[in-house]
Amino acid sequence: MAEPDDGLDSLDKAILQLESEHWKYRGAKESAIRQRLGLSPVNYYQRLNALIDRDDAARFAPMLISRLRRARLR
């Protein structure tokens, strides 16, 4: 059965998934960004910042988006 269209593409979902992970070592996240997503860290953070403002991203990962919105206000 097909999932309903939530407005996010597979890269958006992968970015949110990666952002929800916890990183123990310096550089591990940046390495994962390059290897898993094929993005530079700069492009990753630009796209993540745009996702933070999207309602469809908030519906997909409400706790993560809420945490990121609060962190951005600090």
Side-chain angles (χ1 to χ4, degrees):
M1 177 161 48
E3 293 181 21
D5 182 17
D6 56 17
L8 299 174
D9 64 24
S10 60
L11 182 57
D12 293 334
K13 291 175 184 178
I15 287 170
L16 293 173
Q17 173 62 38
L18 193 132
E19 189 62 27
S20 69
E21 296 178 25
H22 298 284
W23 305 96
K24 187 174 181 178
Y25 300 106
R26 182 186 303 256
K29 183 176 182 180
E30 287 75 16
S31 178
I33 291 168
R34 286 186 178 95
Q35 290 176 354
R36 286 198 233 166
L37 304 177
L39 295 174
S40 72
V42 170
N43 289 337
Y44 170 86
Y45 286 110
Q46 288 172 337
R47 189 147 177 174
L48 176 63
N49 196 47
L51 281 170
I52 291 171
D53 293 325
R54 292 178 51 185
D55 290 335
D56 50 358
R59 283 189 297 276
F60 181 78
M63 293 179 67
L64 174 64
I65 296 299
S66 178
R67 178 178 58 83
L68 294 172
R69 286 176 178 171
R70 284 191 314 271
R72 187 168 61 177
L73 293 174
R74 291 184 200 141

